[in-house]
Amino acid sequence: MTDEEEVTGAGDNPQMILTGKKSGKASLLDSGEDFEMLDDDEIDDDPPPLEDAGGGKKTKKEPAEDQDASPSSLVDEWMDILGNGQLRKKVLRAGNGPDSRPTKGQNVVIHLKTSLADGTLIEEQPELSFTLGDGDVIQALDLTVQLMEMGETALVQADAKYAYGALGSLAPEVLPSADLALEVQLLDATEAPDLELLSPQERVALAGQKRERGNVYYQRGDYAFAVNSYGFALQITESSSKVDISLEEEEDLMDIKVKCLNNMAAAQLKLDHYEAALRSCVSVLVHQPDNIKALFRKGKVLALQGEYADAIRNLKMALKLEPSNKTIHSELSKLVKKHSEQKDAEQAMYKKMLGNPGSGGMQKHQARSSWGVSWKWLFGATAVAIGGVALSVVIAARN
């Protein structure tokens, strides 16, 4: 199956810091097999726990007598944010105090300089905006900006794991497994807009951005992050609205919702979250009973759960809607074969449990035959005895 969706991102779109792809078309979610994916052991599925980030330990300890030192005296200190040495932050210029730090869910604006570990400048973005904690940018930024004060400038040293990983990036151009040095200045932080007050066009645009971000994560093999982004997009499409919306705009939101659910199911399959993937497929089919991708993925989930008969039924429905689809044909053929093998194995097991039905039937027949002979013999003997008694009575009467 082939989705005709596109992954886009260019200019000052915050997605570009994550995608590593220039603007243009890219094949997106089919069944997932048409992508070059990271191996499972190379995927950092779960983001580091943000609740632990604030307690990051420092590599250098301050002398006891410097406890009341001014912020400027802390400029040379490195904070080990995650405690593993792979993500460190150093204040270059102090900000407006801890109370001015942004919180998760706020929209922030930063000035960003991205360099390689050796200092080679890759890219500078004077005003990069994103939603903090939503996975809009690389993990190194999502984690460290939450620890910055308004107006603060910091230097961040990030291991490739928290930057562009083993795949690297095309825009900005970053080689695979490259460590980065990021100079970040926090310029602004504002509350995220109220979804209920957004115009339908704004909701469609925002949900579309989150969905595209999920597509990028999927293509990079970061399936847990993809599910996270699709979840944010679904929240936007499903939120109630205090603004009038036209039928056409409702259809646009529903289209994004269905695409998110379908792609989420594909990512959940990659994570072996079968029940969650099944729920996503069912949700699509509630809105669009003839959605081929949902029928196909539902069939795959049921097959993985050993429900071959139900899986075959769903794939046949999908094939009826798209008879020329080779992917469905192939999957259906494999399932029919597996189902046949399963039935043969079950029949063999039943025969073993119940014994040989043929010999059992013969034994029963022999038992019935023996009983029939015995009964006939007994009946005949009784008749002879009765006849003898009657004859004796007749002879005695005559005498």
Side-chain angles (χ1 to χ4, degrees), residues 112-170:
L112 176 67
K113 292 181 181 179
T114 303
S115 303
L116 297 176
D118 62 6
T120 303
L121 181 65
I122 297 175
E123 182 182 45
E124 182 173 1
Q125 295 171 279
E127 293 186 349
L128 172 64
S129 61
F130 58 94
T131 303
L132 196 57
D134 276 15
D136 293 355
V137 291
I138 58 176
Q139 265 191 287
L141 287 173
D142 235 350
L143 293 170
T144 55
V145 171
Q146 295 187 52
L147 303 176
M148 295 181 64
E149 301 170 1
M150 189 59 58
E152 174 185 328
T153 300
L155 180 62
V156 177
Q157 291 184 346
D159 184 87
K161 178 179 181 180
Y162 302 105
Y164 294 99
L167 293 183
S169 170
L170 294 178

Side-chain angles (χ1 to χ4, degrees), residues 5-9 13 15 18-19 28 205-219 229-230 233 256 260 263:
E5 301 172 14
E6 299 178 1
V7 177
T8 59
N13 189 329
Q15 182 188 355
L18 170 69
T19 62
L28 190 62
L206 184 58
Q209 289 174 9
K210 301 293 184 183
R211 179 183 63 84
E212 289 174 0
R213 192 170 307 116
N215 294 345
V216 172
Y217 277 128
Y218 186 95
Q219 290 179 336
S229 292
Y230 293 139
I256 294 177
C260 285
N263 294 352

Side-chain angles (χ1 to χ4, degrees), residues 7-11 16 21-25 171:
V7 177
T8 59
M16 287 303 299
K21 294 183 180 291
K22 296 182 179 179
S23 177
K25 293 186 178 180

